């Protein structure tokens, strides 16, 4: 008998995905570069379903039903290209190669175009939720052709997480759309975590609260509109006590955040698209700053403010509101970026559907996402999430608290780039007139870059080095 689908690359992600497929009744062909992993999978979990192990790629491909469906789950980069090449040699027009790794969307576009020439569908697919998600139901963001979605969609929706009966898997759009959306998802994840970290830091510094006390604060927040996976696990991490020292776990971890690069990719793409994803950028840069211990040691001689006058006020509730408002800004920016890329690359991404598929199975799952879906349902052409009535009401109500939080942070010398830049973005967006007019004037002065006027059509240049009169450009 032949397999319904295959998985090649059987490290944690591939193995769990293969098991998830088998548990849903699919016959799964399994293959890995080094045969040991394949044998191990069958030995340990063979009882969970039907696995067809293959040690050679040719045997793996031969064991698949036509049109063939093969998922690649290997380390992103050169390894993926090597496996695609090997698979493509053995496949026929109409077959489908799914890349479930964290590929850069530009690589996915290149690979899709190359395989399309051969009539093979290449489906760059974002998979979120880590190993646990891969096994029990991830959020799945496939790109690629409509034909490939028709053949893969039912399987992917079957193994994805479901929320209220709705599967967290939908066709995102052609070629690189799926990996692009996964990339932005990860960028938003960076921003969510940075904001949570700032909330914790500020409350700990300002109130002298212990990590355990703050765990309780996050737990309470998780019972309200901030309810989300990341807030939930923040309480758990803060509650953790180090067995070796008896100290709070968070105090024994080296404070240098690492990254695999998707935050950086998101920011790079946003720079190309001209979309200000400041929340994600600040989060990425905050990680970079944390990773420069030599500079941080050298900077310890710099002085901070005198904080003796700062009282408690209602700081906990203020921080909760600042966190919520900053989070809305981060999501608004992330959705702007997806919209811009969708336009640039002709993807026609349904923004509301993206909120839906992130509701379960993935790291940024949150109650909040239902409201984003509702906002786009109410107005699919929404220009910014901040302007949706539900969200503008929240940020308007939060803004006084948000300002007090940033002020307190500045007063006591706690860096909150996430809160501060989100607030600056909010104020920048809502300002009727921005000092960009002065920037334009300066550009025209030194570079004759011209400017537009508020009262007349056309481009203008002022002869700054001559008579300083304005002329149409
Ligand atoms: P890794 O990213 O650690 O990759 C290990 C796998 O890649 C092994 O199966 C290895 O084969 C294979 N491989 C490598 Br390395 N180079 C290869 C090559 N040149 N040819 C063929 N196979 C090669 O595995 P992972 O953590 O399971 O992640 C798989 C993918 O899923 C990655 O792209 C990752 O970014 C993505 N992802 C991971 C997570 C997560 O939470 N870990 C979440 C979402 C997405 P070998 O056994 O022979 O060495």
């Amino acid at each position: 008998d032949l397999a319904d689908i295959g998985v090649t690359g059987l490290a944690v992600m591939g193995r769990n995905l293969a098991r998830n497929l088998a548990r849903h009744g699919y016959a799964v062909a399994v293959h890995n570069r080094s045969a040991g992993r394949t044998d191990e999978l069958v030995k340990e979990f063979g009882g969970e379903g039907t696995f067809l192990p293959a040690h050679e790629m040719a045997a793996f491909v031969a064991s698949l039903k036509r049109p063939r469906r093969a998922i690649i789950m290997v380390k992103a980069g050169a390894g993926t290209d090597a496996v695609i090449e090997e698979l493509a040699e053995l496949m026929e027009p109409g077959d489908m190669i799914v890349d479930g790794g964290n590929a850069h969307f530009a690589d996915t576009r290149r690979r899709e175009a190359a395989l399309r020439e051969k009539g093979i569908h290449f489906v760059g697919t974002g998979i979120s939720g880590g190993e646990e998600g891969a096994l029990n139901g991830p959020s799945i963001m496939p790109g690629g052709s409509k034909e490939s979605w028709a053949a893969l969609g039912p399987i992917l929706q079957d193994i994805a997480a479901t929320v209220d009966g709705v599967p967290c898997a939908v066709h995102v759009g052609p070629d690189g759309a799926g990996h692009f959306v996964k990339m932005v998802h990860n960028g938003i994840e960076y921003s969510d975590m940075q904001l949570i970290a700032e909330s914790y830091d500020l409350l700990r510094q300002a109130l002298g609260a212990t990590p355990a006390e703050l765990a309780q604060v996050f737990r309470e927040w998780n019972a309200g509109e901030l309810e989300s996976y990341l807030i939930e696990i923040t309480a758990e991490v803060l509650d953790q006590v180090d067995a070796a020292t008896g100290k709070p776990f968070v105090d024994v971890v080296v404070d240098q955040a690492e990254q695999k690069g998707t935050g950086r990719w998101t920011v790079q793409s946003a720079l190309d698209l001209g979309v200000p994803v400041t929340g994600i950028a600040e989060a990425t840069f905050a990680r970079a700053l944390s990773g420069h211990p030599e500079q941080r040691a050298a900077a310890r001689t710099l002085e901070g403010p005198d904080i003796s006058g700062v009282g408690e006020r209602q700081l906990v509730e203020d921080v909760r509101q600042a966190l919520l408002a900053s989070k809305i800004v981060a999501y608004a920016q992330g959705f702007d970026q997806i919209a811009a890329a969708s336009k640039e690359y002709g993807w026609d991404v349904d923004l509301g559907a993206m909120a839906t598929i992130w509701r379960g199975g993935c790291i940024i799952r949150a109650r909040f996402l239902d409201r984003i879906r509702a906002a786009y349902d109410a107005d699919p052409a929404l220009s910014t999430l901040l302007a949706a009535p539900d969200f503008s009401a929240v940020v308007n109500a939060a803004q006084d608290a948000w300002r007090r939080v940033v002020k307190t942070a500045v007063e006591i010398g706690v860096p909150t780039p996430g809160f501060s830049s989100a607030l600056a973005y909010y104020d920048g967006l809502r300002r009727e007139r921005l000092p960009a007019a002065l920037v334009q004037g300066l550009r025209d002065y030194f570079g004759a870059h011209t400017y537009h006027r508020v009262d007349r059509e056309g481009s203008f240049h002022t002869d700054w080095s001559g008579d300083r009169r304005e002329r149409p450009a």
Side-chain angles (χ1 to χ4, degrees), residues 9-14 32-34 37 73-76 78-80 82-83 99-103 127-131 182 260:
L10 301 174
V12 279
M13 288 296 289
N32 189 70
R33 176 177 61 178
S34 43
R37 284 197 206 269
M73 253 353 240
V74 305
K75 199 179 175 73
T80 308
V83 176
D99 175 17
N102 268 338
I127 300 184
S128 172
E131 14 175 338
K182 172 61 168 36
K260 284 190 181 164

Side-chain angles (χ1 to χ4, degrees), residues 98-121:
V98 179
D99 175 17
N102 268 338
H104 191 284
F105 77 97
D107 286 335
T108 302
R109 284 166 62 78
R110 167 176 62 77
R111 290 164 180 157
E112 195 275 339
L115 288 175
R116 201 182 329 133
E117 303 259 296
K118 302 183 171 186
I120 296 172
H121 298 283

Side-chain angles (χ1 to χ4, degrees), residues 378-412:
D379 179 6
L382 196 60
S383 80
T384 164
L385 213 47
L386 286 171
D390 184 26
F391 290 109
S392 58
V394 176
V395 284
N396 283 336
Q399 59 132 349
D400 285 334
W402 201 358
R403 292 180 199 288
R404 283 195 296 271
V405 166
V406 171
K407 212 167 110 191
T408 303
V410 170
E411 279 171 2
I412 69 172

Side-chain angles (χ1 to χ4, degrees), residues 2 7 23 34 53 167 171-173 212 244 284 292 307 346 348 350 390 418 428:
L2 296 175
V7 178
R23 287 174 177 190
S34 43
H171 183 220
V172 176
T284 309
H292 285 286
I307 60 168
D348 200 21
D350 174 351
D390 184 26

Side-chain angles (χ1 to χ4, degrees), residues 17 35 68 76 150 161 178 197 211-212 225 230 232 273 377 405-406 415 425 457:
L17 206 63
R68 302 180 181 91
E225 58 192 334
L230 283 171
E232 178 191 324
L273 293 164
D377 278 350
V405 166
V406 171
Y425 179 83
E457 292 287 306

